[in-house]
Short mmCIF file of all heavy atoms in Angstrom, two decimals:
data_model
loop_
_atom_site.label_atom_id
_atom_site.label_comp_id
_atom_site.label_asym_id
_atom_site.label_seq_id
_atom_site.Cartn_x
_atom_site.Cartn_y
_atom_site.Cartn_z
N ALA A 27 11.43 15.38 26.54
CA ALA A 27 10.86 14.71 27.72
C ALA A 27 9.43 15.16 27.98
O ALA A 27 8.67 14.46 28.64
CB ALA A 27 11.73 15.00 28.95
N THR A 28 9.04 16.31 27.44
CA THR A 28 7.70 16.84 27.72
C THR A 28 6.65 16.23 26.79
O THR A 28 5.58 15.83 27.24
CB THR A 28 7.69 18.37 27.59
OG1 THR A 28 8.76 18.89 28.35
CG2 THR A 28 6.37 18.95 28.07
N CYS A 29 6.97 16.15 25.49
CA CYS A 29 5.97 15.66 24.54
C CYS A 29 6.30 14.28 23.98
O CYS A 29 5.47 13.68 23.30
CB CYS A 29 5.77 16.66 23.40
SG CYS A 29 7.15 16.77 22.26
N GLY A 30 7.52 13.79 24.23
CA GLY A 30 7.87 12.45 23.77
C GLY A 30 8.23 12.36 22.30
O GLY A 30 8.29 11.26 21.75
N THR A 31 8.50 13.49 21.65
CA THR A 31 8.87 13.46 20.24
C THR A 31 10.33 13.04 20.08
O THR A 31 11.22 13.56 20.75
CB THR A 31 8.66 14.84 19.59
OG1 THR A 31 7.29 15.19 19.72
CG2 THR A 31 9.05 14.82 18.12
N LEU A 32 10.55 12.09 19.18
CA LEU A 32 11.90 11.60 18.88
C LEU A 32 12.53 12.47 17.79
O LEU A 32 11.87 12.76 16.78
CB LEU A 32 11.81 10.16 18.40
CG LEU A 32 13.11 9.48 17.97
CD1 LEU A 32 13.97 9.15 19.19
CD2 LEU A 32 12.81 8.22 17.16
N TYR A 33 13.78 12.85 18.00
CA TYR A 33 14.49 13.67 17.01
C TYR A 33 15.54 12.82 16.30
O TYR A 33 15.96 11.78 16.83
CB TYR A 33 15.11 14.89 17.71
CG TYR A 33 14.05 15.94 17.96
CD1 TYR A 33 13.15 15.80 19.00
CD2 TYR A 33 13.89 17.02 17.09
CE1 TYR A 33 12.13 16.71 19.19
CE2 TYR A 33 12.87 17.94 17.28
CZ TYR A 33 11.99 17.78 18.33
OH TYR A 33 10.98 18.68 18.49
N PRO A 34 15.98 13.27 15.12
CA PRO A 34 17.00 12.50 14.39
C PRO A 34 18.26 12.34 15.23
O PRO A 34 18.59 13.20 16.04
CB PRO A 34 17.29 13.36 13.15
CG PRO A 34 16.09 14.23 12.99
CD PRO A 34 15.56 14.46 14.38
N ALA A 35 18.96 11.23 15.04
CA ALA A 35 20.19 10.98 15.80
C ALA A 35 21.16 12.14 15.66
O ALA A 35 21.33 12.67 14.57
CB ALA A 35 20.84 9.68 15.31
N SER A 36 21.74 12.57 16.77
CA SER A 36 22.67 13.70 16.74
C SER A 36 23.60 13.62 17.95
O SER A 36 23.28 12.97 18.95
CB SER A 36 21.90 15.02 16.78
OG SER A 36 21.11 15.10 17.96
N GLU A 37 24.75 14.28 17.86
CA GLU A 37 25.71 14.29 18.97
C GLU A 37 25.19 15.12 20.13
O GLU A 37 25.33 14.75 21.29
CB GLU A 37 27.06 14.88 18.51
CG GLU A 37 27.70 14.17 17.32
CD GLU A 37 28.31 12.82 17.71
OE1 GLU A 37 28.32 12.49 18.91
OE2 GLU A 37 28.77 12.10 16.79
N ALA A 38 24.57 16.26 19.81
CA ALA A 38 24.08 17.18 20.84
C ALA A 38 22.57 17.27 20.75
O ALA A 38 21.99 17.01 19.70
CB ALA A 38 24.71 18.56 20.63
N PRO A 39 21.91 17.64 21.84
CA PRO A 39 20.46 17.77 21.78
C PRO A 39 20.05 18.85 20.78
O PRO A 39 20.80 19.80 20.56
CB PRO A 39 20.08 18.20 23.20
CG PRO A 39 21.28 18.08 24.03
CD PRO A 39 22.47 17.96 23.15
N PRO A 40 18.87 18.72 20.17
CA PRO A 40 18.37 19.79 19.30
C PRO A 40 18.29 21.11 20.07
O PRO A 40 18.27 21.12 21.30
CB PRO A 40 16.98 19.31 18.89
CG PRO A 40 16.99 17.83 19.13
CD PRO A 40 17.92 17.61 20.28
N ARG A 41 18.20 22.19 19.35
CA ARG A 41 18.13 23.50 20.01
C ARG A 41 16.81 23.70 20.74
O ARG A 41 16.76 24.38 21.75
CB ARG A 41 18.32 24.62 18.97
CG ARG A 41 19.78 24.88 18.64
CD ARG A 41 19.91 26.13 17.79
NE ARG A 41 19.42 25.90 16.43
CZ ARG A 41 20.15 25.36 15.46
NH1 ARG A 41 21.39 25.01 15.69
NH2 ARG A 41 19.64 25.19 14.26
N ALA A 42 15.75 23.14 20.21
CA ALA A 42 14.43 23.35 20.82
C ALA A 42 13.49 22.28 20.30
O ALA A 42 13.81 21.57 19.34
CB ALA A 42 13.90 24.73 20.43
N CYS A 43 12.33 22.15 20.94
CA CYS A 43 11.29 21.26 20.44
C CYS A 43 10.15 22.14 19.91
O CYS A 43 9.40 22.73 20.70
CB CYS A 43 10.77 20.35 21.55
SG CYS A 43 9.36 19.34 20.99
N PRO A 44 10.03 22.26 18.58
CA PRO A 44 8.99 23.14 18.04
C PRO A 44 7.58 22.70 18.42
O PRO A 44 6.67 23.54 18.51
CB PRO A 44 9.20 23.06 16.52
CG PRO A 44 10.08 21.88 16.29
CD PRO A 44 10.86 21.66 17.55
N ILE A 45 7.40 21.40 18.66
CA ILE A 45 6.06 20.94 19.06
C ILE A 45 5.69 21.50 20.43
O ILE A 45 4.55 21.91 20.67
CB ILE A 45 6.01 19.39 19.01
CG1 ILE A 45 6.05 18.97 17.53
CG2 ILE A 45 4.77 18.84 19.72
CD1 ILE A 45 6.04 17.51 17.27
N CYS A 46 6.67 21.57 21.34
CA CYS A 46 6.39 22.14 22.66
C CYS A 46 6.38 23.66 22.65
O CYS A 46 5.73 24.28 23.50
CB CYS A 46 7.41 21.62 23.68
SG CYS A 46 7.05 19.92 24.17
N GLN A 47 7.10 24.27 21.72
CA GLN A 47 7.09 25.74 21.64
C GLN A 47 5.76 26.27 21.10
O GLN A 47 5.45 27.44 21.27
CB GLN A 47 8.23 26.23 20.74
CG GLN A 47 9.60 26.10 21.40
CD GLN A 47 10.72 26.57 20.47
OE1 GLN A 47 10.70 26.27 19.28
NE2 GLN A 47 11.66 27.30 21.02
N ASP A 48 5.02 25.42 20.45
CA ASP A 48 3.72 25.82 19.88
C ASP A 48 2.75 26.18 21.01
O ASP A 48 2.84 25.64 22.11
CB ASP A 48 3.19 24.63 19.06
CG ASP A 48 1.81 24.88 18.48
OD1 ASP A 48 1.64 25.90 17.79
OD2 ASP A 48 0.90 24.07 18.72
N VAL A 49 1.80 27.05 20.71
CA VAL A 49 0.86 27.53 21.73
C VAL A 49 -0.03 26.41 22.27
O VAL A 49 -0.56 26.51 23.37
CB VAL A 49 0.03 28.71 21.16
CG1 VAL A 49 -0.91 28.24 20.05
CG2 VAL A 49 -0.76 29.41 22.26
N ARG A 50 -0.16 25.31 21.52
CA ARG A 50 -0.97 24.19 22.02
C ARG A 50 -0.25 23.34 23.05
O ARG A 50 -0.86 22.54 23.74
CB ARG A 50 -1.39 23.28 20.84
CG ARG A 50 -2.54 23.85 20.04
CD ARG A 50 -2.62 23.23 18.68
NE ARG A 50 -1.61 23.82 17.82
CZ ARG A 50 -1.76 24.04 16.51
NH1 ARG A 50 -2.88 23.70 15.91
NH2 ARG A 50 -0.81 24.61 15.81
N GLN A 51 1.07 23.46 23.16
CA GLN A 51 1.85 22.68 24.13
C GLN A 51 2.57 23.67 25.04
O GLN A 51 2.17 24.82 25.18
CB GLN A 51 2.83 21.79 23.37
CG GLN A 51 2.45 20.30 23.37
CD GLN A 51 2.76 19.61 24.70
OE1 GLN A 51 1.85 19.19 25.41
NE2 GLN A 51 4.03 19.50 25.05
N TYR A 52 3.65 23.25 25.67
CA TYR A 52 4.35 24.14 26.59
C TYR A 52 5.77 23.63 26.81
O TYR A 52 6.04 22.44 26.73
CB TYR A 52 3.62 24.21 27.94
CG TYR A 52 3.55 22.87 28.62
CD1 TYR A 52 4.51 22.50 29.56
CD2 TYR A 52 2.55 21.95 28.29
CE1 TYR A 52 4.48 21.24 30.15
CE2 TYR A 52 2.52 20.69 28.88
CZ TYR A 52 3.47 20.35 29.80
OH TYR A 52 3.44 19.11 30.37
N VAL A 53 6.66 24.57 27.09
CA VAL A 53 8.00 24.23 27.55
C VAL A 53 7.98 24.39 29.07
O VAL A 53 7.47 25.40 29.56
CB VAL A 53 9.04 25.18 26.90
CG1 VAL A 53 10.43 24.88 27.45
CG2 VAL A 53 9.01 25.03 25.38
N PRO A 54 8.48 23.41 29.82
CA PRO A 54 8.39 23.51 31.29
C PRO A 54 9.06 24.77 31.82
O PRO A 54 9.96 25.33 31.18
CB PRO A 54 9.12 22.27 31.78
CG PRO A 54 9.19 21.34 30.62
CD PRO A 54 9.15 22.19 29.39
N ASP A 55 8.62 25.17 33.00
CA ASP A 55 9.14 26.35 33.66
C ASP A 55 10.66 26.34 33.73
O ASP A 55 11.32 27.36 33.52
CB ASP A 55 8.55 26.38 35.08
CG ASP A 55 8.58 27.77 35.64
OD1 ASP A 55 8.49 28.73 34.85
OD2 ASP A 55 8.70 27.89 36.87
N ALA A 56 11.24 25.18 33.99
CA ALA A 56 12.69 25.10 34.15
C ALA A 56 13.41 25.02 32.79
O ALA A 56 14.63 24.93 32.75
CB ALA A 56 13.04 23.88 34.99
N GLY A 57 12.66 25.04 31.70
CA GLY A 57 13.28 25.01 30.38
C GLY A 57 13.15 23.66 29.71
O GLY A 57 12.69 22.68 30.30
N GLN A 58 13.56 23.62 28.44
CA GLN A 58 13.47 22.41 27.62
C GLN A 58 14.24 21.26 28.27
O GLN A 58 15.39 21.42 28.68
CB GLN A 58 14.04 22.72 26.24
CG GLN A 58 14.16 21.54 25.32
CD GLN A 58 12.80 20.98 24.90
OE1 GLN A 58 11.87 21.73 24.64
NE2 GLN A 58 12.69 19.66 24.83
N ARG A 59 13.61 20.11 28.36
CA ARG A 59 14.27 18.93 28.91
C ARG A 59 14.37 17.86 27.84
O ARG A 59 13.41 17.61 27.11
CB ARG A 59 13.50 18.38 30.12
CG ARG A 59 13.68 19.19 31.39
CD ARG A 59 13.10 18.47 32.61
NE ARG A 59 11.72 18.04 32.36
CZ ARG A 59 11.33 16.76 32.41
NH1 ARG A 59 12.17 15.79 32.68
NH2 ARG A 59 10.06 16.45 32.19
N TRP A 60 15.52 17.18 27.79
CA TRP A 60 15.73 16.09 26.83
C TRP A 60 16.01 14.81 27.56
O TRP A 60 16.63 14.78 28.61
CB TRP A 60 16.91 16.41 25.91
CG TRP A 60 16.69 17.63 25.07
CD1 TRP A 60 17.23 18.87 25.28
CD2 TRP A 60 15.87 17.74 23.91
NE1 TRP A 60 16.79 19.74 24.31
CE2 TRP A 60 15.95 19.07 23.46
CE3 TRP A 60 15.08 16.84 23.20
CZ2 TRP A 60 15.27 19.52 22.34
CZ3 TRP A 60 14.39 17.30 22.08
CH2 TRP A 60 14.50 18.63 21.66
N THR A 61 15.55 13.73 26.98
CA THR A 61 15.97 12.41 27.42
C THR A 61 16.44 11.68 26.16
O THR A 61 16.56 12.30 25.09
CB THR A 61 14.84 11.67 28.16
OG1 THR A 61 15.32 10.40 28.60
CG2 THR A 61 13.61 11.49 27.29
N THR A 62 16.75 10.40 26.27
CA THR A 62 17.22 9.65 25.10
C THR A 62 16.48 8.33 25.02
O THR A 62 15.91 7.85 26.00
CB THR A 62 18.73 9.35 25.20
OG1 THR A 62 18.94 8.46 26.29
CG2 THR A 62 19.54 10.62 25.39
N THR A 63 16.53 7.73 23.85
CA THR A 63 15.89 6.42 23.67
C THR A 63 16.49 5.39 24.64
O THR A 63 15.78 4.55 25.18
CB THR A 63 16.07 5.94 22.22
OG1 THR A 63 17.43 6.17 21.83
CG2 THR A 63 15.15 6.67 21.27
#
Side-chain angles (χ1 to χ4, degrees):
T28 309
C29 71
T31 300
L32 177 73
Y33 282 77
S36 60
E37 303 285 355
R41 278 189 288 276
C43 174
I45 290 179
C46 284
Q47 287 179 318
D48 177 54
V49 67
R50 282 161 283 215
Q51 253 283 114
Y52 62 94
V53 176
D55 202 29
Q58 174 68 39
R59 284 190 309 120
W60 297 103
T61 181
T62 66
T63 45

